[in-house]
Amino acid sequence: MKKNPFSILTLGAGLFLLIIAGCKPKNAGNAAESDAASRVYVPPGKYDKLYNFVSGGFSGQVTVYGIPSGRLLRVIPVFSLDPQDGWGYSEETKPMLNTSHGMVPWDDQHHLELSQTNGEIDGRWLFANGNNTPRIARLDLKTFRTAEILEIPNSAGNHSSPFITENTEYVVAGTRFSVPMDDKNGDVPIDTYKKNFKGTVSFISVDPQSGNMKLAFQLLLPGVDFDLSHAGKGPSHGWFFFSCYNSEQAHTLLEVNASQRDKDFIMAVNWKKAEEYIKQGKGQKQTVKYAHNVYNESTHSATSTIETQTTVLDVKDFPDIVYLIPCPKSPHGCDVDPTGEYIVGSGKLAALIPVFSFSKIQTAIASKNFDGEYAGIPVIKYEAALHGEVKKPGLGPLHTEFDGKGNAYTTMFISSEIVKWSLKDLKVLDRHATYYSPGHLMIPGGDSRKPYGKYLIAYNKITKDRYLPTGPELAQSAQLFDISGDKMKLLSDYPSIGEPHYAQAAPADLIAKNSTKIFKIEENKNPYVTMGEKNSKVVRTGNRVDVYMTMIRSHFSPDNIEGLKVGDDIYFHLTNLEQDWDVPHGFAIRNANTAELLVMPGETQTLKWTPDVSGMYPFYCTDFCSALHQEMQGYIRISPKGSNVPLSFSLGKNADTSDSVLTKQQ
Ligand code: RUQ
Ligand code: CUA
C-alpha cells in the first residue's frame, strides 16, 4: 500500500473533469430495441410479473413499481411526513418518527433489502436505512407500511445498511462518518480525529416470527468511513463484508485527502465468532440513548420507547473476528455473488475490478498470510485474497449484481455504462450505455442466492436531455434492460421519485398473495375506536375534547357539532366502518395546520386540532369514495373561549330553526 500522490493527482484531475462533464454515449436517442414496446407492455387489467421496491433517497420514502411496465404502484412513507395519508401527522403515526432527539420527520433513504430465508427472498419484510439520523426501518409487505423504526446509537451517516444475513438473523448498520462514541464527550477539536473518532458496525437481530428488531451488538472499529456491505451466503454464511474508504483518516477535503493511498479496504467480519463472544458476556455495556418505534396493527397505533443500553465489542481485543483486505481506490460497492464464493469490491477511481475469493481468504487467515496490520487489525495480503481482476471494465465502477448464471453486471458511473463480465474468467462479455451515470443497479434477487435474472434495472443519477425540461431539476430515472440473452437489451426508461439508490425486486405472486385487503373491524383494538355509528359521541374533559366519529359511504357520524371552543384540544378519532377492499375515507377540516387523514377500512386514526378563531368550520372526506362523496361533509361550530353554547352533536337532524332566505324571495 505505497502512497503514490503523483499518479493520484494526474488521474484524479482527468477523472474529476469526466465526472463533471459526464460522457455522453453515442446513439442516445434510439438505443432501445425495436420490439421493446411489446416486451414492457402490460395490457390494462393485467398484472406486472414483479414488484420493484426503489429507495427514495432524499425523499425519505420508498416507491413501488411494477416490472416490466414501470408503472408506479405506490409511494410508502418511511422516514418522511406524508400529507397524502397523514403519516407522521396523525396521533397514531407520530411516534414512528420519534428519535432520541425528538421528532425527525425526514431522512435520506439509500438502501433496501428484502428479507430472506436460506438466502432466498421470502416476501415478508423490506428493510430500509435512514442515513442522516441513523435509523433502520422494517416495512411489512402485508400492508406495504412501515412497521418498525430503530435508531442506531454510536453512528453517523448510516450508509452501510440495511443489509441482511441469509436467514435474516441480522440486519447490519455500518457508520459512514466516524465520530466520538455517544458515551464520550464529542466536544473535542476536529483535528483530534485520529485519537477520538471511531467507526462502528451494528448487528441488529430480527425476530423470525414477528420481525421485531433489537440492537444485538456493535463492533468498535478504527475511524474510517464504512460505505457498503453484503453478507456472505452458502459457504461464506457467518461472514459479513464491508467496503471502507478514508483509511487515511482525513477529516477535511476528503476528495483529495482520502484518495492518497492506492488501496483502502474490504473488511471481513466473522459475525458468528462475534456472536459467540457476546454470548460469553465479553461485550462492554454502554449507556446510550436511541428510539425504538413499533407500529401495532391491532391498536392501529405506534409507540416509541427510548432504549438506554448497547453492548460493544472492541475488535482490537478480539483479533479473530475482523480482517482487512486491501482494495484499490476508495471502494464503494461490496457485493457477494450467489454462490457466496466471490466478493466484488468496486473502487470508484480504480481502472479494474478486484474479485476476492472467500476460500482464499480463509486459507490466508489460517496460514496468517498477512501484510502487517491496520489499527491492530490483521491485513490479508492482496494477492492471497484475490480471485482475479476484471481488466479495463470501464470508468468509475460502483455496484455489481449477479444473474445466477455465472455473470456479474457492474455500473460504471463515469463512462455511463453497464458492463457484463464472467465470474469464472473475469472477461468482459458485453457493455451497454446508460443515460446517464448509473449509481446502483438491480437484478431481481441479484444479491440473493437465487437471482430471477431476466431483467436488470439501472438507476441513473443524471437524466439531462432525456425528458422534457422541468425547470432546473430533472427527475432521476430507472432504465430497464432484458438480460435473458447474451447481450443486454435496453427496453424502457421512466422517471423516479426522489433519488433512487439501491432497489430490490421480487416475483409478484410471492408478495401479492399475503396482501392485507381490509382490517377487521371486530379486531380493532385502538382505544379510541367507535364500534358502529350508534356509539359515535363527543366527550369533553376540561379543554380536551374527544370526537368519536365514524365514516361510511357517504357520511360522517356525527356531522354537526356545537359547543366547541377556541383553544380546545380537539382529537378527531375517525373509524372507517367499511369492510370492503379499497374504500378508504379521508378527513380534513378547514384551517387544521397538520394534514388530512386517510383511514383504511376497519382502521381508526386520530387528527388533533386546536382552533384559534371562533366561527364555522366545515370538514369533508378527501377520497372520492362514492357517487355521493361530495356530500360526505359536516360542520363544526367554534365559539369563543368561555362561551356557554352547550356541547351537542348530531347526524340527520335537519329541522332548520331560522327563516329561509329562499322562501322569502319566492
Ligand atoms: S450509494 S450510488 Cu448511497 Cu448505495 Cu452507491
Ligand atoms: Cu368518503 Cu369520500
Side-chain angles (χ1 to χ4, degrees):
M1 272 170 293
K2 271 177 254 128
K3 294 194 180 189
N4 195 343
F6 178 74
S7 70
I8 283 286
L9 284 180
T10 42
L11 177 69
L15 289 182
F16 290 148
L17 268 180
L18 280 169
I19 291 165
I20 293 161
C23 309
K24 181 168 172 177
K26 291 192 188 87
N27 310 322
N30 55 2
E33 296 298 310
S34 53
D35 62 344
S38 64
R39 284 199 264 163
V40 298
Y41 183 65
V42 177
K46 292 277 183 283
Y47 293 157
D48 277 288
K49 290 270 178 299
L50 296 152
Y51 282 102
N52 183 202
F53 301 92
V54 184
S55 81
F58 41 66
S59 83
Q61 303 160 328
V62 169
T63 45
V64 188
Y65 294 87
I67 297 298
S69 73
R71 297 186 294 198
L72 176 66
L73 302 176
R74 175 142 293 277
V75 177
I76 307 174
V78 184
F79 299 109
S80 292
L81 293 168
D82 187 8
Q84 177 171 323
D85 61 5
W87 179 257
Y89 293 102
S90 71
E91 295 305 301
E92 283 82 358
T93 56
K94 274 180 188 170
M96 290 303 283
L97 298 173
N98 191 40
T99 72
S100 61
H101 301 270
M103 190 194 215
V104 179
W106 174 85
D107 219 305
D108 188 12
Q109 201 287 294
H110 281 217
H111 304 124
L112 296 170
E113 187 89 307
L114 285 161
S115 57
Q116 297 181 6
T117 304
N118 296 323
E120 294 180 21
I121 291 170
D122 60 21
R124 303 173 77 192
W125 309 304
L126 177 70
F127 296 91
N129 74 324
N131 254 321
N132 184 52
T133 301
R135 286 176 279 182
I136 289 182
R138 179 175 57 86
L139 282 67
D140 190 335
L141 295 180
K142 286 201 188 96
T143 54
F144 279 57
R145 283 183 174 182
T146 303
E148 191 178 7
I149 293 182
L150 181 71
E151 191 183 357
I152 316 291
N154 287 332
S155 178
N158 178 36
H159 194 261
S160 188
S161 173
F163 299 97
I164 56 156
T165 55
E166 74 174 19
N167 290 298
T168 321
E169 295 95 335
Y170 292 104
V171 40
V172 301
T175 188
R176 167 185 174 183
F177 295 96
S178 282
V179 282
M181 292 297 92
D182 288 3
D183 67 338
K184 298 278 182 319
N185 177 15
D187 177 19
V188 294
I190 298 172
D191 63 9
T192 61
Y193 185 103
K194 290 189 173 140
K195 175 165 169 248
N196 289 321
F197 290 49
K198 297 279 178 226
T200 56
V201 302
S202 308
F203 284 78
I204 292 124
S205 60
V206 179
D207 183 276
Q209 257 69 55
S210 65
N212 276 354
M213 299 188 286
K214 185 171 176 288
L215 181 57
F217 60 91
Q218 300 187 289
L219 301 181
L220 186 69
L221 294 155
V224 298
D225 290 46
F226 292 100
D227 208 9
L228 281 147
S229 54
H230 264 104
K233 36 177 108 78
S236 55
H237 178 58
W239 288 73
F240 227 108
F241 304 92
F242 295 82
S243 58
C244 58
Y245 62 100
N246 193 20
S247 55
E248 296 84 354
Q249 300 198 315
H251 54 77
T252 179
L253 199 63
L254 265 65
E255 177 183 27
V256 175
N257 293 328
S259 306
Q260 298 296 310
R261 295 165 70 110
D262 271 355
K263 295 193 175 71
D264 290 280
F265 300 113
I266 298 287
M267 178 174 80
V269 175
N270 185 341
W271 60 261
K272 282 253 158 112
K273 255 269 134 63
E275 197 181 46
E276 274 170 36
Y277 286 131
I278 292 292
K279 281 196 190 121
Q280 293 161 16
K282 299 256 166 77
Q284 299 274 324
K285 299 265 186 267
Q286 257 186 31
T287 303
V288 289
K289 262 174 88 177
Y290 56 102
H292 185 198
N293 312 330
V294 182
Y295 195 81
N296 180 326
E297 282 305 349
S298 99
T299 60
H300 299 283
S301 37
T303 48
S304 177
T305 313
I306 298 294
E307 308 276 357
T308 56
Q309 209 178 55
T310 178
T311 309
V312 178
L313 213 52
D314 187 341
V315 303
K316 72 175 179 336
D317 302 331
F318 300 93
D320 56 350
I321 47 180
V322 173
Y323 301 89
L324 296 171
I325 304 155
C327 185
K329 306 249 183 270
S330 306
H332 185 58
C334 179
D335 300 292
V336 181
D337 89 305
T339 69
E341 166 64 8
Y342 300 117
I343 300 120
V344 181
S346 300
K348 296 174 295 240
L349 301 180
L352 51 83
I353 303 172
V355 182
F356 301 102
S357 144
F358 178 71
S359 43
K360 284 190 168 181
I361 292 170
Q362 295 308 301
T363 312
I365 291 171
S367 57
K368 295 210 163 36
N369 202 350
F370 298 146
D371 196 0
E373 57 169 46
Y374 177 89
I377 303 173
V379 177
I380 297 172
K381 280 208 178 105
Y382 177 68
E383 293 74 19
L386 192 70
H387 162 57
E389 296 172 338
V390 185
K391 307 277 193 214
K392 299 222 178 88
L395 294 175
L398 287 187
H399 296 281
T400 301
E401 290 264 286
F402 308 91
D403 64 3
K405 294 182 237 156
N407 303 308
Y409 296 76
T410 303
T411 45
M412 299 292 162
F413 181 84
I414 299 172
S415 52
S416 278
E417 57 187 334
I418 297 195
V419 172
K420 174 182 179 180
W421 49 274
S422 149
L423 278 160
K424 200 157 140 248
D425 58 16
L426 307 173
K427 293 264 181 323
V428 171
L429 303 171
D430 186 25
R431 49 180 78 237
H432 200 299
T434 59
Y435 310 94
Y436 308 95
S437 301
H440 279 271
L441 76 173
M442 191 276 313
I443 290 172
D447 70 340
S448 73
R449 290 183 76 174
K450 189 181 158 202
Y452 303 86
K454 181 165 161 52
Y455 297 110
L456 177 155
I457 304 175
Y459 297 96
N460 302 316
K461 301 297 189 186
I462 295 165
T463 57
K464 208 180 295 201
D465 81 19
R466 295 294 290 173
Y467 300 122
L468 283 173
T470 49
E473 193 191 6
L474 287 155
Q476 275 86 358
S477 83
Q479 280 192 306
L480 180 73
F481 293 84
D482 180 339
I483 56 164
S484 54
D486 288 344
K487 300 278 171 204
M488 291 175 265
K489 290 179 174 162
L490 176 58
L491 299 179
S492 70
D493 65 14
Y494 47 93
S496 67
I497 292 181
E499 182 191 353
H501 290 251
Y502 198 31
Q504 294 269 280
D509 34 359
L510 194 63
I511 292 168
K513 64 171 192 281
N514 294 325
S515 190
T516 299
K517 303 252 181 345
I518 56 160
F519 298 108
K520 288 194 184 129
I521 186 77
E522 63 274 16
E523 290 171 9
N524 183 328
K525 297 275 169 339
N526 188 302
Y528 299 101
V529 64
T530 306
M531 286 291 187
E533 201 165 293
K534 61 178 189 313
N535 294 317
S536 59
K537 61 185 175 192
V538 181
V539 180
R540 173 182 286 285
T541 323
N543 74 336
R544 173 182 171 125
V545 179
D546 289 285
V547 179
Y548 295 81
M549 193 181 271
T550 60
M551 328 156 97
I552 197 158
R553 280 164 287 182
S554 298
H555 60 272
F556 295 94
S557 175
D559 68 358
N560 281 203
I561 305 175
E562 300 192 24
L564 306 189
K565 291 172 228 172
V566 168
D568 280 346
D569 285 331
I570 306 172
Y571 292 84
F572 295 98
H573 310 291
L574 275 303
T575 299
N576 180 347
L577 298 174
E578 306 280 355
Q579 292 287 274
D580 240 354
W581 191 21
D582 198 23
V583 192
H585 292 288
F587 175 80
I589 182 157
R590 180 161 73 102
N591 295 6
N593 57 4
T594 48
E596 54 140 17
L597 295 176
L598 199 64
V599 190
M600 299 305 128
E603 185 184 44
T604 302
Q605 292 285 291
T606 300
L607 183 110
K608 184 188 174 198
W609 176 54
T610 307
D612 61 343
V613 180
S614 63
M616 193 54 67
Y617 291 86
F619 62 93
Y620 70 99
C621 171
T622 53
D623 187 312
F624 210 109
C625 50
S626 74
L628 295 174
H629 152 81
Q630 203 68 352
E631 277 73 9
M632 194 165 169
Q633 64 172 51
Y635 288 102
I636 291 179
R637 174 184 172 190
I638 299 293
S639 304
K641 260 195 178 108
S643 115
N644 52 17
V645 177
L647 183 68
S648 69
F649 54 90
S650 63
L651 167 72
K653 279 207 330 203
N654 208 20
D656 207 319
T657 53
S658 60
D659 283 346
S660 166
V661 180
L662 276 181
T663 323
K664 267 188 204 155
Q665 282 172 343
Q666 277 159 6

